[in-house]
């Protein structure tokens, strides 16, 4: 999936340029150079806003979700819509913003946007602007954590304040799923421990209920244990909050789309495979079912905990990228995709 650049700029008039000239400027000197740059390897798609003062839902979403925003402040005085949209972007995202402005003597001085530098370009030397934009985008592409919204930074917010409540709710919800998974593993561990002890399988030792799948795995070559486990009866406890998540999808819009999609897919697999009455349908042996339940429940628990860390970290930061890598490593250890 390509990354997105959203351009905020005047639409009708800026200094001596009319609507057609501004459209041509956007296409020839911003959109085409970025999308076709060898340095950027075709990773970006570039779109822009209009001059309608009605800031529609899709504009708000574009401002919030774009991987990078370019804001053109050109004009004798900066366009009101441009300033308004820039303010929205700075209040909702830590992802990069690049400011540019046509360099003319007729321009009036503007207020300083603390921490942000505006590149002044000349229409007689647009190649300089193109090189500047590609260079800045490449820098942010290598390390987007170099940028922080000056607004959110002053307010000491890792995420926009309008997102903090849903993030807290989603974190609490995921925490509830993780706690339920942990409790289920402890109950399951106790049950299987008692069962095997009664059947004199003495080489089953559990150090940590969370990793009970490991001693279960060690029994795979123990014929006595395998035969014994065929008669092990255990009613797997459901996780109601997991089923509730699947009907509500609390992470949408709060986290990277790929992470939300992977978590939702995993939750569907888990719910299907270990729903009461379903579990026995998916494995050839009782041992495989027992081992899978122990392992996948730990994976679910760890996915929830890692997703909470992603939610609470800064967008584009190295810390967040490490959490995302950890999430992918956890989900790749699941057996669901191999079944």
């Amino acid at each position: 999936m390509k990354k997105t650049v959203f351009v905020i700029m005047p639409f009708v008039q800026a200094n001596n340029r009319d609507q057609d000239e501004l459209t041509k400027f956007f296409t020839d000197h911003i959109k085409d150079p970025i999308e076709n740059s060898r340095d950027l390897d075709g990773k970006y798609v570039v779109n822009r806003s209009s001059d309608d003062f009605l800031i529609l839902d899709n504009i708000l979403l574009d401002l919030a979700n774009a991987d990078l925003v370019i804001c053109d402040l050109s004009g004798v005085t900066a366009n009101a819509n441009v300033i308004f949209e820039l303010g929205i972007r700075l209040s909702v995202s830590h992802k990069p913003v690049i400011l540019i402005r046509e360099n003319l003597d007729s321009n009036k001085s503007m207020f300083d946007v603390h921490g942000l530098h505006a590149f002044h370009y000349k229409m007689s030397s647009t190649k300089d602007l193109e090189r500047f934009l590609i260079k800045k985008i490449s820098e942010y592409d290598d390390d987007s954590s170099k940028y922080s919204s000056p607004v959110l930074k002053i307010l000491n917010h890792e995420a926009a304040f309008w997102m903090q409540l849903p993030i807290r709710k989603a974190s609490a919800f995921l925490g509830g799923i993780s706690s339920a998974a942990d409790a289920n593993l402890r109950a399951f561990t106790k049950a299987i421990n008692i069962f095997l002890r009664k059947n004199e399988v003495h080489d089953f030792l559990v150090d940590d209920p969370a990793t009970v799948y490991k001693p279960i795995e060690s029994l795979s070559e123990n014929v006595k244990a395998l035969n014994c486990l065929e008669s092990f009866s255990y009613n797997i406890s459901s996780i109601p909050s997991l089923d509730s998540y699947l009907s509500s999808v609390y992470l949408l819009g709060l986290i990277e789309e790929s992470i939300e999609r992977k978590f939702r897919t995993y939750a569907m697999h888990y719910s299907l495979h270990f729903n009461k009455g379903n579990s026995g349908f998916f494995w050839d042996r009782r041992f495989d079912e027992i081992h899978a339940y122990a392992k996948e429940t730990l994976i679910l628990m760890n996915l929830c905990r890692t997703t909470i860390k992603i939610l609470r970290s800064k967008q584009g930061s190295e810390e967040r990228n490490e959490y995302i890598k950890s999430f992918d490593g956890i989900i790749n250890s699941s057996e669901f995709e191999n079944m």
Side-chain angles (χ1 to χ4, degrees):
M1 182 179 295
K2 291 191 176 185
K3 294 184 178 181
T4 55
V5 174
F6 188 68
V7 180
I8 310 169
M9 64 178 291
F11 189 74
V12 176
Q13 186 75 35
N15 296 110
N16 300 320
R17 290 178 285 166
D18 61 19
Q19 184 169 342
D20 289 341
E21 289 171 316
L22 288 168
T23 298
K24 181 174 173 57
F25 169 77
F26 164 75
T27 302
D28 292 350
H29 305 301
I30 298 179
K31 182 177 175 67
D32 287 351
I34 292 172
E35 291 184 345
N36 299 315
S37 168
R38 290 183 179 180
D39 292 339
L40 300 177
D41 199 28
K43 289 187 290 187
Y44 286 89
V45 60
V46 183
N47 297 303
R48 69 166 176 166
S49 62
S50 72
D51 201 47
D52 297 330
F53 194 73
L54 292 175
I55 306 300
L56 304 176
D57 289 353
N58 63 311
I59 298 294
L60 291 173
L61 290 172
D62 286 337
L63 289 169
N65 296 331
D67 293 290
L68 186 141
V69 162
I70 296 171
C71 177
D72 191 340
L73 299 166
S74 292
V76 175
T77 57
N79 180 283
N81 279 16
V82 169
I83 293 297
F84 184 62
E85 291 180 29
L86 173 61
I88 291 174
R89 169 66 174 201
L90 295 177
S91 68
V92 302
S93 177
H94 272 295
K95 289 181 283 189
V97 174
I98 299 173
L99 300 183
I100 60 175
R101 191 183 193 195
E102 186 179 5
N103 187 9
L104 289 174
D105 292 338
S106 58
N107 288 345
K108 292 184 179 180
S109 297
M110 288 186 58
F111 61 87
D112 287 333
V113 181
H114 179 69
L116 293 177
H117 166 74
F119 179 84
H120 292 267
Y121 64 88
K122 294 183 178 180
M123 290 304 297
S124 60
S125 183
T126 52
K127 286 295 181 185
D128 290 342
L129 171 64
E130 294 171 18
R131 283 191 288 267
F132 168 77
L133 291 176
I134 291 168
K135 180 175 181 292
K136 290 298 293 183
I137 294 172
S138 296
E139 290 174 357
Y140 288 133
D141 204 36
D142 292 338
D143 186 5
S144 60
S145 64
K146 290 178 181 176
Y147 179 89
S148 290
S149 162
V151 175
L152 296 179
K153 190 174 181 180
I154 290 170
L155 295 174
N156 196 29
H157 289 322
E158 292 293 347
F161 33 83
W162 62 273
M163 291 178 64
Q164 289 182 39
L165 181 58
I167 284 175
R168 284 198 293 268
K169 286 184 175 180
S171 296
F173 203 84
L174 292 170
I177 296 174
S178 177
S179 295
D182 184 43
N184 284 358
L185 270 181
R186 292 179 184 278
F188 171 78
T189 301
K190 185 174 182 180
I192 197 170
N193 201 26
I194 292 171
F195 176 82
L196 291 174
R197 193 183 306 125
K198 285 181 177 179
N199 287 274
E200 298 183 344
V201 178
H202 300 298
D203 49 355
F204 181 77
L205 299 173
V206 180
D207 295 322
D208 179 3
T211 56
V212 66
Y213 78 91
K214 291 182 178 179
I216 292 174
E217 206 169 68
S218 70
L219 299 176
S220 61
E221 303 299 326
N222 186 325
V223 176
K224 178 181 178 182
L226 292 178
N227 291 334
C228 175
L229 286 172
E230 288 301 317
S231 62
F232 176 61
S233 179
Y234 183 79
N235 291 322
I236 292 174
S237 299
S238 63
I239 302 178
S241 52
L242 185 65
D243 296 329
S244 178
Y245 173 83
L246 289 171
S247 64
S248 303
V249 197
Y250 290 90
L251 293 176
L252 274 176
L254 300 179
I255 203 166
E256 285 78 358
E257 183 181 344
S258 61
I259 297 298
E260 188 282 324
R261 184 175 62 252
K262 290 175 185 177
F263 185 87
R264 177 166 26 97
T265 300
Y266 185 86
M268 286 190 291
H269 276 302
Y270 185 93
S271 183
L272 176 65
H273 283 75
F274 301 117
N275 196 13
K276 286 185 177 179
N278 279 4
S279 187
F281 296 148
F282 295 98
W283 288 274
D284 295 329
R285 300 184 301 170
R286 181 66 168 156
F287 170 81
D288 297 328
E289 177 187 354
I290 293 167
H291 178 260
Y293 174 70
K295 183 177 180 181
E296 299 296 340
T297 302
L298 175 62
I299 289 174
L300 175 65
M301 185 168 63
N302 288 336
L303 283 178
C304 288
R305 292 173 177 175
T306 304
T307 304
I308 291 172
K309 292 178 181 178
I310 296 172
L311 281 169
R312 293 176 176 175
S313 61
K314 177 184 166 185
Q315 290 178 329
S317 67
E318 188 59 37
E319 178 187 44
R320 191 181 184 98
N321 291 337
E322 287 302 315
Y323 289 146
I324 290 173
K325 287 180 184 176
S326 178
F327 178 97
D328 286 336
I330 294 167
I331 212 162
N332 288 338
S333 66
S334 169
E335 297 297 323
F336 288 150
E337 296 301 321
N338 299 322
M339 297 185 64

